[in-house]
Amino acid sequence: MPYLLRTFSASRKLGFAVVMAIFGVASTSADPGEAFPTIDVELGQTVEDFLEENSHPGMTVAASLNGRMVMNKAYGVRNIDTQEPMSIHHRTRIASLSKLLNAATFLKYTEDTANPGLLDEPIFGSHGLLSPNDADPEIYDEFISGTKRRTPVVGTVISKPNDHVYTYYDSGFYSIGTTSDLDARSNSLLPYALPPGKSPSDIVAMAGSTSGGTFTWYRDGSFSCGTFDDLRSPEECYFEEITQLPPKQQMGFLVGVAVAGQSGKVYSWYEDGTRAVGHVFDLAAIDSGQPYQVGVGRRTYSIRSMAISAHDRVYTFYSDNRVSRGTSLDLDPNNAEYDTSLAAGVSGRPWMSWYSQMTPRHLLSHSSGIPRDVSLTGATGLDTGQLAAAGPDGQLGFAKLQKYAPHSRLLFPPGTTSVYSNHAVSLAGYALETVSGETYGDLLETRILDPLGIEMGLAWDPIGDNDATPHTLYGELVETCGCDPIWRFRENSGYLTATAGDYLRFLLAIDNGPGPHGDLLSPASVALMETRAPGSAYGLGWSVSQSGRMMSHSGAVLGGSSVTYRFKAGYSYEGQDLGGIQVVIAANMLHRNSGLGTLALRVAKAVAVANANRHIPSSYDLY
């Protein structure tokens, strides 16, 4: 079956559905759940219409009011082939809603071990949570290698008319010199201009044109041509997202691009050890890829930049300030590397310092500076030397993914702003595993799920972002595969499965709100989750509105979409105060759909109106 689920909690494992599954008997009745009657009246056909209009199979929907569950219902079908009705016991992939569980697990661990300072311990550095003495010291070695590779040089251009070497730094300045002395021909650093909206960290490669200008390629696939001091001059010499790459390659995999002085052909080199030939808009138009050789003891991951001289010699600049000279397929045929020196006064972006400042608090609040995702293909290339086929999750593991992470540029200093990052949250989970000596799955089970008596699962047979196979089964009853699945790097940021009802039970345990159900976390920990971290639009797990009156999160992967909201007093929607209301929707959607957020607001409004028109009694609780 498409989903093989690990059942976390020991409780309820021998429920009716499991017994039926063990004996091979299909359950013929689905539990549609219920809601306080006037909520149903207010919603009417809203959910059914949403499913029909968006061609989605089904979903579970749960809502609470002042700490009591007032709605737990199922809509649509679980299986689009058999039209089996959806049940409130059918789990679906909750995708990034897993991140709140990650944050809560981390905080619960700090409380149970009386170690609140763990949130602000450095992740990297000689005494970091992932220090050189870690169980996998290669992570630290790659961290050092990656930071040296990505700063301070962002590109090198050799002018074809005179072989002057132009070196561009991530400080926004450039120097003019020779291959062995990068500022020998300029008395000082000179500023360069970029296209609007671009920064030096967006540059992935630069090359010198045959006419004496510059070509620049950016991380988003765009391209510009210009002069040495203005990378977009004339103004119209900028083209968005049109650069074609060899099969399987990405812009982030480029280690160098250069233009041959004699033929004008554009050569490009990649992390997997292949070289392509083409032109500026299609880097593989002539040759989509041949293997190239690096020097003795070298890796492609130590290359900072590359350039071709007027006489078509290929120069390779390394992160340890060494240079080699060779051909496009053999970068150092004579093993004759020599030293180079950076321009005086160059410091570049202080990445080593930025990394040393990074803490679990930054990771959980998306303010670490780590990009949204680290390339799974690139990480596999680092591990195997080859670009892998899609979907190597189970074979790779998070440790190897993290080894590749520092080879991508940090976006900003930690704690200064925020960019949503799947990898950052997974890294927090990995750090917690390292500190505790337990797997994240065991920590989640023993610290959160078991005490609440609820069950969630792991999509062990992945229906992931790289799996385009059509599936018809999008929800499992509480079943177990009878196996011990291998935990992968994404389980703490997107691989979990749950029902809306069970996820709402979890939320009721971390809200410090009124109602009969106690909280797992202290008020201080809940406040950390619900309050924007310094420089961020996120708390620990939650996305927090500027007013602080609404917390939300959404998630989407192939086979499952989800959304949750928590409202504080004073948050109004279409004239209704939604204070004290929480909503969870877990859908077995075939594709991503942003309309779930609007649907969740409609559900919250229905709860508010139902309570205002006919007070929902305090004895009504579906928990």
Side-chain angles (χ1 to χ4, degrees):
M1 55 185 171
Y3 278 30
L4 297 177
L5 301 177
R6 175 180 181 181
T7 301
F8 286 126
S9 175
S11 65
R12 297 192 293 173
K13 281 186 180 178
L14 295 180
F16 176 76
V18 176
V19 175
M20 299 294 281
I22 291 173
F23 289 98
V25 180
S27 175
T28 57
S29 61
D31 185 354
E34 63 176 289
F36 190 71
T38 49
I39 296 176
D40 275 335
V41 172
E42 291 299 327
L43 274 178
Q45 288 291 116
T46 299
V47 181
E48 290 88 344
D49 290 346
F50 178 89
L51 291 175
E52 181 178 357
E53 291 169 3
N54 292 280
S55 301
H56 296 314
M59 61 176 58
T60 54
V61 182
S64 65
L65 172 67
N66 296 326
R68 293 171 285 111
M69 187 182 294
V70 296
M71 178 182 185
N72 187 18
K73 295 197 67 175
Y75 298 87
V77 298
R78 170 206 185 192
N79 189 304
I80 60 178
D81 282 349
T82 66
Q83 292 296 294
E84 176 189 353
M86 195 76 173
S87 163
I88 59 170
H89 305 297
H90 284 142
R91 293 195 294 246
T92 55
R93 294 191 64 177
I94 59 173
S96 287
L97 261 63
S98 304
K99 291 180 173 63
L100 274 83
L101 289 152
N102 178 280
T105 301
F106 199 104
L107 289 167
K108 189 68 167 65
Y109 179 83
T110 65
E111 291 184 6
D112 291 347
T113 58
N115 187 14
L118 186 62
L119 272 175
D120 296 307
E121 289 287 330
I123 296 292
F124 299 103
S126 58
H127 301 288
L129 300 181
L130 301 179
S131 71
N133 299 320
D134 182 51
D136 191 349
E138 289 183 19
I139 287 181
Y140 187 77
D141 293 341
E142 292 297 342
F143 151 66
I144 297 295
S145 174
T147 54
K148 287 183 177 180
R149 173 190 181 194
R150 290 302 188 182
T151 191
V153 175
V154 297
T156 302
V157 170
I158 295 181
S159 173
K160 296 303 182 289
N162 52 26
D163 271 351
H164 289 183
V165 177
Y166 291 75
T167 306
Y168 293 80
Y169 304 100
D170 53 18
S171 60
F173 291 84
Y174 72 98
S175 62
I176 310 172
T178 65
T179 59
S180 59
D181 186 348
L182 300 184
D183 64 347
R185 293 188 170 95
S186 58
N187 295 323
S188 61
L189 291 173
L190 306 168
Y192 64 92
L194 288 135
K198 290 289 190 289
S199 70
S201 62
D202 294 318
I203 297 173
V204 293
M206 296 182 67
S209 69
T210 55
S211 60
T214 62
F215 295 142
T216 307
W217 290 265
Y218 303 93
R219 191 167 302 277
D220 61 4
S222 56
F223 163 83
S224 68
C225 48
T227 62
F228 293 116
D229 60 356
D230 189 343
L231 305 187
R232 183 189 178 181
S233 180
E235 185 174 339
E236 61 271 17
C237 197
Y238 175 72
F239 306 89
E240 295 184 9
E241 299 180 2
I242 62 171
T243 303
Q244 299 296 311
L245 298 171
K248 298 183 181 181
Q249 299 291 359
Q250 301 174 20
M251 297 302 292
F253 298 167
L254 280 166
V255 297
V257 179
V259 177
Q262 305 299 315
S263 65
K265 293 178 181 178
V266 176
Y267 290 75
S268 56
W269 294 266
Y270 300 86
E271 290 177 343
D272 67 338
T274 59
R275 180 230 63 189
V277 186
H279 53 71
V280 292
F281 297 132
D282 186 344
L283 299 183
I286 300 171
D287 184 347
S288 61
Q290 299 290 330
Y292 66 90
Q293 298 294 320
V294 294
V296 175
R298 287 295 184 185
R299 304 185 310 165
T300 61
Y301 297 92
S302 58
I303 296 174
R304 265 184 182 155
S305 59
M306 300 181 71
I308 294 180
S309 69
H311 299 289
D312 287 349
R313 295 184 181 92
V314 176
Y315 288 85
T316 304
F317 299 83
Y318 298 98
S319 57
D320 59 356
N321 296 329
R322 298 277 288 174
V323 185
S324 66
R325 184 177 69 176
T327 68
S328 69
L329 294 178
D330 191 343
L331 305 186
D332 191 13
N334 300 315
N335 295 321
E337 283 188 10
Y338 55 93
D339 290 328
T340 188
S341 59
L342 297 176
V346 166
S347 59
R349 294 194 171 196
W351 276 23
M352 192 70 71
S353 173
W354 290 5
Y355 268 105
S356 67
Q357 298 168 27
M358 194 180 296
T359 67
R361 187 189 301 271
H362 296 132
L363 298 173
L364 293 170
S365 62
H366 302 286
S367 60
S368 65
I370 295 174
R372 180 183 180 96
D373 290 297
V374 171
S375 169
L376 183 61
T377 306
T380 307
L382 174 61
D383 184 53
T384 66
Q386 297 179 342
L387 294 180
D393 302 38
Q395 293 74 31
L396 190 65
F398 186 82
K400 292 177 180 177
L401 187 75
Q402 177 53 36
K403 290 176 187 176
Y404 182 74
H407 294 276
S408 299
R409 290 189 176 96
L410 280 181
L411 301 177
F412 48 80
T416 58
T417 185
S418 57
V419 167
Y420 188 85
S421 175
N422 290 315
H423 184 81
V425 177
S426 289
L427 180 56
Y430 184 74
L432 183 59
E433 287 185 335
T434 302
V435 170
S436 67
E438 301 178 60
T439 68
Y440 171 74
D442 287 341
L443 288 163
L444 173 62
E445 182 178 3
T446 59
R447 309 275 176 172
I448 302 294
L449 300 181
D450 280 353
L452 298 177
I454 63 176
E455 296 170 339
M456 295 184 186
L458 172 69
W460 185 60
D461 183 24
I463 301 177
D465 295 331
N466 295 320
D467 188 351
T469 306
H471 296 273
T472 59
L473 188 63
Y474 293 95
E476 290 292 345
L477 289 166
V478 182
E479 299 170 354
T480 176
C481 64
C483 54
D484 187 16
I486 299 172
W487 285 82
R488 296 181 301 274
F489 54 82
R490 289 183 179 176
E491 70 273 0
N492 49 14
S493 70
Y495 261 51
L496 294 176
T497 64
T499 67
D502 274 349
Y503 195 90
L504 182 60
R505 292 179 179 96
F506 155 68
L507 292 183
L508 289 172
I510 60 162
D511 64 356
N512 284 339
H517 312 294
D519 284 317
L520 275 177
L521 297 179
S522 68
S525 290
V526 173
L528 287 175
M529 294 187 71
E530 295 185 346
T531 306
R532 287 186 170 190
S536 178
Y538 298 87
L540 303 190
W542 285 110
S543 172
V544 183
S545 67
Q546 193 166 11
S547 68
R549 296 191 179 99
M550 181 187 75
M551 279 64 68
S552 64
H553 214 296
S554 62
V557 291
L558 184 62
S561 297
S562 57
V563 70
T564 185
Y565 281 90
R566 171 179 291 170
F567 302 101
K568 301 291 186 181
Y571 186 87
S572 179
Y573 176 71
E574 294 185 350
Q576 295 296 320
D577 190 333
L578 303 185
I581 295 173
Q582 300 186 94
V583 177
V584 180
I585 299 177
N588 57 1
M589 291 183 174
L590 302 178
H591 54 81
R592 305 176 183 212
N593 189 286
S594 59
L596 275 186
T598 300
L599 179 62
L601 288 169
R602 294 287 301 277
V603 171
K605 179 185 176 184
V607 172
V609 172
N611 189 51
N613 292 342
R614 183 178 177 184
H615 182 66
I616 300 175
S618 59
S619 59
Y620 188 84
D621 191 355
L622 301 174
Y623 189 92

